[in-house]
Amino acid sequence: MSDERSTAAHLLAQTKAFRDLSAEVIAAFAERCRTRVLHTGETLFRQGDSVQALHVVAVGRLRAYAGVGEGEQALGEIGALETIGEIVMLAGERHTATVRAMRDSAVLSLDREALMELLRQYPEALLKISQVVIARLLDRLRNPDPGPPGPRTLCLLPATPGVDVRALGEQLRACYGQIGRVCLIDAAAVEAALGPGMARSRFDDAANNARLVRWLSAQESEYAYLIYLADDQPGPWSRRCMRQADRILVVASEASGSARQTPMLRLLAETDVEAVVSVALQWPSSTLSASEPLGWCQAAGAESHYFLRDAQDVPALARSLIGQAVGFVLGGGGARGFAHLGLLRAARELGIPIDLIGGTSMGAFIGALHAEGHTVEEITELMRETFVHRNFLNDYMLPRVALLRTRKFRQRLGTIFGERRLEHLATPYFCVSTSLTRGVAVVHESGQLRDWVGTSMAVPGIAPPMVWNEELLADGAVINSLPADVMRQFGRGAVIACDVSSDTALRAEGVSGPDFDALFHWTGQSPRPGLFDILLRSATLSSVSGSRGRAAHADCLIRMPTAGVGLFQWKALDRLLDSAYRHALVELDAFKPRLPPLARA
C-alpha cells in the first residue's frame, strides 16, 4: 500500500463510521479515496448541490452555513476525523448547507458511485455508517446545541520582536501533555525534517507547498495538539502558522509598549484567517493604563484577553484556549446570595478551578470580589461589614425615584474596588444589568467595577437606576437572574450555575381573602411580605419565568437551600454560608468526574 493510501486507511480507522471494520474493508475504502486540500475560506460544497461524495476531515476545521448571501448563518463547526455528507447521501437528498474551510485543511473524499459499489460489496460497512447516521440524529435531538469541537492547533504569535513565545509554548505543552500527545512546531523543526528553507516556502510554490502541507498534516494526525510558534517578524512561516491554527494567541509583553498596529498585527489583519483570536498580556494588570487590554484586543481583532503574570496563570489559559475551562455563574437573590460563599469554599476544597466567573446582582458583587483575587474568608468579612455590621443600604429618601438613594452603598463599592476595571481582573469576569429603556439584558465586560456591580444590584423601585448613553440600567435580575446562557456563549468549557433564588414566591399562608388589608393586620402563618420583598418580586417576575430555560445552559445547576431566608435578612450570613457549603460540597463532588479532562488533570 502506498504512503498516501496507508495514511488514508489510518485516518479512516479513527472515524466513527469505519473504526470497527476489518483492516481489509478499511483498505478497500482507502484505495478509492482521494485527498483534497482546501485553503482558508474555500468551499467544499454549497447548499442545494447534489451529493457527489462522502467526505472525511483529515486535518483542519470546516464550518457549515445555512442560507445564501447576506442571509447566511453559521450552523456549526466540523473537526478532524468527522464525516460529512453521509446523511443526505443515504437519504438521496441534496446538501442542506454550505461547507467552507475555516483554516487550511485537507479532506478525504470518496465519490458517490465508488461508495455505493463498496457498500454493496461490504454490507457491514453500510450497517456501520447507518448506525453512525442514526446516532448522530439522536444526538441532535438530545443536544441540539453541542458546541464546536475543541481546538487542536494553536498559533502563538509575537506581537512585537523580542517576545518569547517558546517559553509559553513549552508551558502549554506541559499542560496539554496531561491529556494527549503534543507537538511544538517552529521553523527550525520543519527544516530539520524537510530541509533548509522549507518552513518559509511560499504558498505559490506548488511543489514545496504540497510537501510541507503533507508533513504538517501528518503531524496533526499523529498528535492530539499542535502548537505553532510563529517568527517574531512577518514572513511566510508566520503566515502559515496563522492559517494552520484553530486558535491564534497574540502574545504581548510589557516591553511591547502601548497597544498599536505592529507589523505582525498588520500581517494578521492581511492574512485570510477565520480562527478565533485572543491576546495574552505578559505583565501585571496593575501597570496597565485603563485602555490597554481593550486597545490590544482592538489592534489584534481579538475577542478576549488574558493576563500572564507568572506560570500560575498558564493552566487557566490552557484550559480556556481549547474549551476545557470551568465557568461559574452566580445568580441574584439579595441576602440569599451569601450562599455563593459556600459554593466558592466547596470548589476550593475540591480543587475545582474557577477560570472565569460572572453573575447578576449579589452574584455580580461576590463574583467581582473573587475575580479580584480575594479569598472566600476575605469576601465573607467584606459582606459582613457591608451588610451586617453597618448595612450601607439604609439611606432612605422621599420615594420620587426609589426608596433608597444608595449613595452610601455606592461609596462603599468605591472603597472596595477603587478604580479597578472589569477588563483588568486576573480572572475573566462579567456582570449583567437590565436596560429598562429597551427591555433587554446588558452584559458588562469592561468599565469601572464599582459602577457596573452597583448597577447590577439596583432593584427598580428600591434603588435608582444608572443612566448610561441615554438608557436607564437597573438590576440584572429583572431580565436574567441566572446568566448561564451568557457564560455558555463564551464557549470556554463547562458551566456551573448557582441558583439562590428558588424560593422567591410570596405567599400568605393561612389567609383566604379577598382582603386588601391583610398585609396591614397580618395573621398569616408565613412571614409577612415587606415592601422590599414585594418590589423585588414584582421587578424580577419576567426573570423568574425564564429561569428554567437559562438554567438549561448549565452543565451543573446547584439550587441552594435558601428556604426561610428573607431577601434582606442579612444576619443569616453565617447560617446560610454553612448550609450552602455542605450542599455544594455534595453537588460539586458528584459533578467533578464530568468536568473537562484538563480541569481534572
Side-chain angles (χ1 to χ4, degrees):
M1 186 182 296
S2 68
D3 289 343
E4 186 174 351
R5 295 292 171 259
S6 177
T7 299
H10 176 70
L11 288 167
L12 290 178
Q14 298 178 70
T15 66
K16 291 181 180 179
F18 293 93
R19 64 186 174 197
D20 294 329
L21 299 175
S22 68
E24 176 191 352
V25 174
I26 292 174
F29 278 83
E31 186 67 31
R32 305 292 291 272
C33 284
R34 58 185 176 84
T35 301
R36 179 178 174 184
V37 175
L38 298 172
H39 296 297
T40 303
E42 189 174 346
T43 299
L44 179 61
F45 53 75
R46 298 185 183 279
Q47 181 176 322
D49 287 352
S50 60
V51 181
Q52 300 295 323
L54 171 70
H55 307 284
V56 178
V57 182
V59 293
R61 181 173 293 242
L62 287 74
R63 181 179 287 157
Y65 300 86
V68 294
E70 295 182 359
E72 190 175 75
Q73 293 184 334
L75 295 177
E77 296 177 12
I78 308 160
L81 304 180
E82 292 191 54
T83 51
I84 309 172
E86 69 274 31
I87 295 178
V88 287
M89 179 175 289
L90 292 179
E93 300 287 339
R94 291 179 176 271
H95 285 297
T96 58
T98 297
V99 173
R100 287 197 293 270
M102 291 183 64
R103 64 177 178 88
D104 288 355
S105 306
V107 297
L108 297 179
S109 297
L110 183 60
D111 70 69
R112 191 176 188 281
E113 290 185 7
L115 175 64
M116 293 306 178
E117 178 185 330
L118 288 167
L119 292 179
R120 286 191 291 269
Q121 184 177 354
Y122 301 103
E124 63 269 37
L126 175 60
L127 176 62
K128 181 61 179 176
I129 291 175
S130 299
Q131 289 173 338
V132 169
V133 168
I134 294 170
R136 182 177 295 178
L137 292 174
L138 289 174
D139 283 343
R140 289 180 184 176
L141 290 174
R142 298 189 193 105
N143 185 14
D145 184 23
R152 295 182 56 231
T153 60
L154 307 175
C155 167
L156 302 187
L157 187 71
T160 55
V163 173
D164 182 13
V165 294
R166 174 167 292 280
L168 177 58
E170 294 289 358
Q171 292 172 319
L172 290 173
R173 175 158 64 178
C175 290
Y176 297 138
Q178 300 174 79
I179 57 173
R181 298 183 65 209
V182 187
C183 183
L184 216 61
I185 301 180
D186 60 3
V190 172
E191 297 187 357
L194 301 179
M198 282 296 298
R200 295 171 177 83
S201 298
R202 295 174 57 88
F203 288 90
D204 56 5
D205 182 346
N208 283 342
N209 183 64
R211 185 180 173 209
L212 179 53
V213 168
R214 282 197 299 271
W215 185 82
L216 293 176
S217 297
Q219 308 313 302
E220 193 167 335
S221 300
E222 184 176 351
Y223 291 92
Y225 298 99
L226 298 185
I227 301 175
Y228 287 92
L229 305 181
D231 294 334
D232 64 359
Q233 298 284 351
W237 173 246
S238 294
R239 187 185 295 272
R240 190 175 297 275
C241 290
M242 298 176 198
R243 292 182 52 161
Q244 292 292 134
D246 293 327
R247 293 290 300 261
I248 297 172
L249 185 68
V250 176
V251 185
S253 69
E254 195 163 10
S256 300
S258 299
R260 62 190 188 281
Q261 192 74 8
T262 67
M264 287 299 286
L265 295 186
R266 282 195 292 272
L267 178 66
L268 175 59
E270 295 165 0
T271 301
D272 186 17
V273 299
E274 295 192 28
V276 174
V277 180
S278 297
V279 171
L281 302 172
Q282 291 184 318
W283 68 90
S285 59
S286 59
T287 64
L288 289 171
S289 67
S291 62
E292 207 74 60
L294 298 184
W296 277 106
C297 285
Q298 183 177 7
E303 69 160 24
S304 58
H305 68 277
Y306 303 90
F307 290 109
L308 293 176
R309 300 161 299 180
D310 51 46
Q312 294 182 353
D313 292 330
V314 175
L317 170 67
R319 289 187 291 268
S320 293
L321 289 176
I322 64 169
Q324 294 197 19
V326 183
F328 277 62
V329 178
L330 311 184
R336 293 168 179 159
F338 293 151
H340 296 313
L341 300 170
L343 175 77
L344 298 180
R345 178 181 168 191
R348 182 181 64 187
E349 292 193 13
L350 291 171
I352 296 176
I354 302 177
D355 297 314
L356 57 162
I357 193 166
T360 293
S361 200
M362 183 63 84
F365 193 4
I366 292 175
L369 291 168
H370 182 274
E372 266 204 314
H374 290 285
T375 65
V376 175
E377 291 75 20
E378 290 170 342
I379 298 173
T380 301
E381 290 313 305
L382 284 168
M383 293 293 105
R384 194 188 311 280
E385 181 68 16
T386 301
F387 296 103
V388 181
H389 289 168
R390 300 183 62 182
N391 189 7
F392 288 86
L393 287 172
N394 63 2
D395 51 348
Y396 298 94
M397 67 176 184
L398 183 66
R400 293 180 301 171
V401 174
L403 292 175
L404 300 176
R405 186 179 297 275
T406 67
R407 184 174 293 168
K408 290 169 60 177
F409 183 66
R410 284 182 280 114
Q411 289 174 344
R412 173 64 172 166
L413 292 178
T415 300
I416 292 173
F417 294 118
E419 300 298 319
R420 201 70 181 270
R421 300 179 64 85
L422 277 74
E423 65 269 28
H424 285 189
L425 297 174
T427 299
Y429 165 82
F430 72 88
C431 64
V432 177
S433 69
T434 297
S435 170
L436 300 179
T437 305
R438 294 180 289 131
V440 298
V442 180
V443 179
H444 304 283
E445 298 179 73
S446 62
Q448 297 278 3
L449 264 174
R450 64 191 184 203
D451 291 340
W452 296 129
V453 169
T455 303
S456 186
M457 301 177 73
V459 180
I462 297 177
M466 153 84 86
V467 178
W468 176 253
N469 290 337
E470 301 183 350
E471 294 188 25
L472 300 182
L473 303 184
D475 194 313
V478 173
I479 291 290
N480 194 341
S481 62
L482 190 68
D485 54 330
V486 176
M487 184 67 78
R488 175 63 69 196
Q489 289 171 5
F490 289 130
R492 308 273 180 91
V495 176
I496 296 175
C498 184
D499 184 0
V500 298
S501 61
S502 57
D503 187 33
T504 57
L506 297 182
R507 287 185 172 83
E509 295 178 10
V511 180
S512 300
D515 188 348
F516 284 109
D517 294 323
L519 294 183
F520 296 104
H521 49 76
W522 186 249
T523 60
Q525 299 169 7
S526 57
R528 177 170 60 182
L531 177 59
F532 281 14
D533 299 304
I534 295 170
L535 286 173
L536 181 59
R537 178 65 173 175
S538 301
T540 59
L541 275 175
S542 64
S543 181
V544 171
S545 65
S547 61
R548 180 174 299 179
R550 289 187 294 273
H553 292 278
D555 298 290
C556 175
L557 175 64
I558 300 177
R559 299 188 184 278
M560 286 297 189
T562 58
V565 178
L567 294 169
F568 301 95
Q569 194 175 342
W570 308 119
K571 293 184 179 179
L573 188 155
D574 292 300
R575 171 164 58 92
L576 194 52
L577 191 162
D578 186 59
S579 62
Y581 160 70
R582 294 195 305 271
H583 182 75
L585 204 59
V586 174
E587 295 285 324
L588 288 178
D589 191 48
F591 177 70
K592 191 174 180 179
R594 294 172 50 204
L595 285 169
L598 201 57
R600 302 194 308 266

